[in-house]
Amino acid sequence: MHEKRIDGKGLGCRRQLIQRNATAPVLRFKAWMIPGAAGMLAALAAWLMARPTARQLALRMAEKRHWESEVRRLRHCERLTTEALHHCTGVLRLIASALPVGVVAIDRNARIELWNHAAEAILGYTAEEMIGQPAPTQVFMSAIDGDGDGDDAGAADVFLRMVTGQSVKSEEVTCRRKDGEAVEASFSGAPLVDDDDRVQGAICVFEDISHRRSMARALHQAQKMEAVGQLTGGIAHDFNNILGIAIGNLDLLGEELRDTPSARTATLVDGALTALLRGAELTRSLLAFARRQPLRPMMVDVGDLLSSITRVLARVLGEQVQMELSLEPDLWPVVADPAQLEAAMTNLAINARDAMPAGGRLAISAINASFDDDALSRLPDVAPGDYTCIEINDTGTGMSAEVLAHVFEPFFTTKEAGHGTGLGLSMVYGFARQSGGHIQIYSEPGIGTSVKLYLPRATGKAERPQTRQRRRAKGGGETILAVDDNAEVRSMVAAQLSNLGYQVLEAGGAAEALAALERHPAIDLLFTDVVMPHGMDGFALAERARQRRPGLKVLFTSGFPGTTLSNRCELTGTDNFIGKPFRRDDLAQAIRRAIDQERGRK
Ligand SMILES: Nc1ncnc2c1ncn2[C@@H]1O[C@H](COP(=O)(O)OP(=O)(O)O)[C@@H](O)[C@H]1O
Ligand SMILES: [Mg+2]
């Protein structure tokens, strides 16, 4: 400060200022260059006036102490705040790392600053690899920018929206893991903004929804198969009845023609029969797919069965295809219909052969397999427990994911007309499901296909399926009561039975049948349809009939047995059932067996 002029007013002002401002320095003294003794005096006076008093000094000391303690208090507060902040950050990191969803935090410089354990697990990149990377980094972008299969918004796009200040809620995207595998994830996130609405970073949370999505797809697929099964089963059942009548009548006609030989008519009848039998084969496949084919489940040694059909399979495969069979020792026996298991294996072998036109290798193996709850959570519709797994691997063309998604549907085929019916795998599927088992199929285009067929383990020792001897089974004049609500079927059956040498009585329903049993004590066998209207089905009829006539022999028939029937057949033994449509010879055998059974057995 420079004073040009000295006067009482100027000095007075200065002192006042010093006194009022208690925080001013204790001693403030400035000398002015004022010439002369008056000047010296004035300076001295000024000094004396400016010099703090003892009270002022004490005040200032107190003030100093106050500020020092204030500084200490603030420092303490600062330490506490830092500690609390550290603690909070630690807790937040802990929460983030423990969360089952992926959490990524981006700082204001758009660098990744947090990458939790779940993010590591979902995308396969470690926190070490990711932290500090610029957010839209190549690695991260390639991680989240999956193959974008149509339904998905681009993951990179979703992410960019987040870091540029937009919120994102449950956007489902397909990402690619570090190991290349696709993973479906749901992204949510929000930018972090300051008071001035400037983006200071972003928090992004994502969840692996592959499992949920695959469960939903599997459920959808199962529902679709169920619906198609219902439809197919219904049509096949009605067709089966019609075919049964036609086949039965033609069989009778053929029998009559035997006595009046006419080569031309016999050829015509044979032609018609052949076509009808092909139709019956087709309806059988459809019923199999719909899980409504009459099964004769029994205990089967899978190893024995596979060994015994290798020659048949080798013939199917031709010389170009090399076949290998490997069986785990001590394979569990299964409960299944051996004839249908053979048919399933044949269908699978035919598919393998068709997929290896230039030859290749077909490996069939069988192992014991148990499903626990964990494995099951990935496979809907499979009961936990023990299974025997038959695996069929080929080195053929394989299938695209597109084809693979449809292979079990009936009539789905990629083969030229006349080469494929599209019923092979649908039959195997239905057979596996109806047997309480399960089928899985994996395929890689250009590498090959692997089919795994799981059949439920049987408890007890396996029986070798009996090969039934074909003898001409004729009737010996025994009396049979034939019950069927369909008049055409009934009269055809009656004609066949009397042709075979039996006495036949007919009934159009359960009530009529019970009345006939009252009237005719000589009835040896009740031959009844299972599904009949008016409340009482074939099983109920048999039960009521046996109450009146204990030990009465019964043979059931149906083209549409449903699950009740296969269960009941298991309970009552499999010898008393014949599936529709049946050939005359099959009927003859079944009737003979049922009548010749020992008394007491159902
Ligand atoms: N082992 C296999 N290798 C390659 N493709 C297969 C295999 N098995 C089945 N497929 C595919 O699945 C489709 C359906 O099979 P399937 O139901 O047996 O009917 P079909 O054999 O009459 O076509 C086939 O047309 C084929 O495209
Ligand atoms: Mg096939």
Side-chain angles (χ1 to χ4, degrees):
M1 185 193 283
H2 181 69
E3 290 275 325
K4 276 207 176 101
R5 176 171 71 85
I6 183 154
D7 60 21
K9 199 175 166 210
L11 285 169
C13 279
R14 181 86 197 148
R15 189 163 176 223
Q16 238 179 0
L17 216 145
I18 291 167
Q19 273 180 339
R20 223 188 284 153
N21 186 359
T23 61
V26 177
L27 225 156
R28 180 171 289 174
F29 172 72
K30 282 191 179 163
W32 290 272
M33 293 300 290
I34 304 168
M40 285 295 283
L41 259 176
L44 182 66
W47 179 79
L48 283 172
M49 276 159 67
R51 195 183 54 157
T53 61
R55 199 174 138 262
Q56 275 177 331
L57 271 177
L59 250 171
R60 283 175 192 171
M61 285 310 284
E63 219 171 281
K64 186 177 168 229
R65 279 197 298 277
H66 165 75
W67 286 118
E68 277 170 357
S69 100
E70 194 65 5
V71 167
R72 274 199 303 277
R73 193 180 63 77
L74 285 174
R75 287 214 177 111
H76 181 64
C77 281
E78 189 191 359
R79 209 178 56 241
L80 288 184
T81 315
T82 315
E83 274 174 18
L85 196 66
H86 254 90
H87 178 70
C88 277
T89 318
V91 169
L92 275 178
R93 279 188 189 278
L94 215 71
I95 293 174
S97 77
L99 279 177
V101 290
V103 181
V104 177
I106 313 295
D107 67 12
R108 78 163 73 107
N109 301 317
R111 285 183 181 275
I112 294 171
E113 65 169 348
L114 183 115
W115 183 267
N116 76 342
H117 288 328
E120 288 184 337
I122 296 170
L123 293 174
Y125 293 92
T126 63
E128 227 169 45
E129 285 171 285
M130 300 308 277
I131 288 178
Q133 294 271 7
T137 180
Q138 195 56 42
V139 181
F140 189 51
M141 279 305 159
S142 65
I144 62 171
D145 198 12
D147 44 13
D149 62 356
D151 306 346
D152 297 333
D157 170 56
V158 166
F159 190 74
L160 279 176
R161 267 158 48 208
M162 263 181 298
V163 290
T164 52
Q166 291 176 44
S167 290
V168 162
K169 195 155 189 292
S170 306
E171 293 263 8
E172 300 193 353
V173 294
T174 306
C175 307
R176 191 147 306 278
R177 282 174 53 85
K178 190 181 179 184
D179 59 15
E181 206 178 298
V183 51
E184 288 156 309
S186 164
F187 277 76
S188 295
L192 298 170
V193 286
D194 63 13
D195 292 344
D196 298 325
D197 273 349
R198 280 189 305 251
V199 178
Q200 295 294 342
I203 291 281
C204 150
V205 178
F206 55 98
E207 190 186 353
D208 183 353
I209 52 166
S210 312
H211 178 61
R212 203 196 309 153
R213 270 208 187 174
S214 82
M215 290 296 279
R217 271 196 296 267
L219 185 67
H220 176 76
Q221 176 73 2
Q223 283 167 340
K224 186 176 80 182
M225 295 297 264
E226 192 64 39
V228 181
Q230 290 267 354
L231 182 72
T232 322
I235 299 171
H237 171 238
D238 287 352
F239 246 90
N240 221 19
N241 270 342
I242 297 167
L243 288 173
I245 296 164
I247 290 171
N249 283 317
L250 280 175
D251 264 345
L252 283 172
L253 189 61
E255 191 74 11
E256 277 179 22
L257 283 176
R258 212 200 300 227
D259 304 330
T260 52
S262 147
R264 183 165 156 68
T265 346
T267 317
L268 290 176
V269 169
D270 272 358
L273 260 176
T274 312
L276 287 172
L277 288 172
R278 245 201 342 261
E281 187 60 43
L282 201 90
T283 38
R284 234 193 320 278
S285 297
L286 289 177
L287 284 172
F289 165 70
R291 286 179 261 160
R292 282 166 182 170
Q293 78 177 321
L295 288 181
R296 290 168 158 267
M298 57 177 78
M299 233 187 285
V300 177
D301 181 322
V302 172
D304 279 2
L305 185 134
L306 290 179
S307 310
S308 73
I309 61 168
T310 43
R311 215 166 325 140
V312 179
L313 295 185
R315 210 170 34 239
V316 166
L317 291 168
E319 282 172 5
Q320 302 257 63
V321 178
Q322 210 186 320
M323 192 172 77
E324 291 160 18
L325 177 68
S326 74
L327 303 167
E328 181 179 307
D330 300 323
L331 270 180
W332 293 326
V334 299
V335 184
D337 182 329
Q340 294 308 314
L341 179 53
E342 276 186 40
M345 292 302 298
T346 311
N347 280 340
L348 294 173
I350 292 172
N351 281 349
R353 177 202 64 197
D354 292 350
M356 299 186 282
R361 211 175 64 245
L362 180 81
I364 301 178
S365 58
I367 54 163
N368 294 332
S370 296
F371 282 130
D372 56 20
D373 288 338
D374 191 40
L376 286 174
S377 65
R378 277 176 277 121
L379 302 169
D381 287 353
V382 186
D386 293 339
Y387 294 80
T388 298
C389 170
I390 305 174
E391 194 173 338
I392 299 100
N393 287 305
D394 67 51
T395 55
T397 53
M399 285 170 257
S400 65
E402 173 85 325
V403 169
L404 201 56
H406 297 286
V407 284
F408 294 130
E409 291 165 14
F411 301 114
F412 175 82
T413 179
T414 57
K415 296 170 192 173
E416 282 170 33
H419 287 272
T421 57
L423 289 172
L425 284 177
S426 55
M427 174 268 157
V428 183
Y429 171 86
F431 162 68
R433 300 303 310 277
Q434 196 181 349
S435 307
H438 174 64
I439 181 166
Q440 276 178 357
I441 181 159
Y442 306 93
S443 195
E444 282 287 338
I447 309 257
T449 300
S450 161
V451 179
K452 285 182 176 171
L453 181 62
Y454 294 89
L455 292 169
R457 177 187 185 174
T459 41
K461 229 173 119 11
E463 290 165 16
R464 187 185 288 272
Q466 285 169 11
T467 36
R468 303 192 185 284
Q469 28 159 305
R470 287 256 150 199
R471 59 192 159 95
R472 189 120 181 106
K474 278 275 182 187
E478 294 94 337
T479 307
I480 298 173
L481 174 59
V483 191
D484 202 307
D485 56 304
N486 184 319
E488 282 169 295
V489 175
R490 201 170 63 234
S491 63
M492 182 271 294
V493 167
Q496 282 188 330
L497 290 175
S498 60
N499 201 276
L500 283 167
Y502 295 100
Q503 301 289 323
V504 190
L505 296 166
E506 292 178 44
E512 223 180 290
L514 290 171
L517 280 163
E518 288 286 316
R519 278 201 308 276
H520 303 278
I523 289 173
D524 296 289
L525 177 79
L526 170 65
F527 178 41
T528 178
D529 192 20
V530 174
V531 184
M532 289 191 294
H534 311 308
M536 202 187 291
D537 66 8
F539 290 129
L541 167 64
E543 222 168 290
R544 287 280 285 278
R546 284 204 180 108
Q547 282 167 5
R548 295 173 197 197
R549 296 264 308 270
L552 174 71
K553 284 161 183 170
V554 184
L555 178 66
F556 296 104
T557 182
S558 179
F560 194 54
T563 38
T564 349
L565 182 58
S566 54
N567 293 344
R568 295 280 279 272
C569 261
E570 244 180 292
L571 290 177
T572 55
T574 52
D575 271 355
N576 53 0
F577 179 81
I578 179 169
K580 284 182 188 174
F582 37 76
R583 297 298 309 274
R584 183 175 171 279
D585 278 357
D586 294 326
L587 178 68
Q589 297 279 346
I591 294 277
R592 199 63 262 163
R593 257 198 325 271
I595 292 179
D596 293 346
Q597 267 175 52
E598 279 170 37
R599 275 200 167 269
R601 254 193 89 188
K602 288 178 183 177

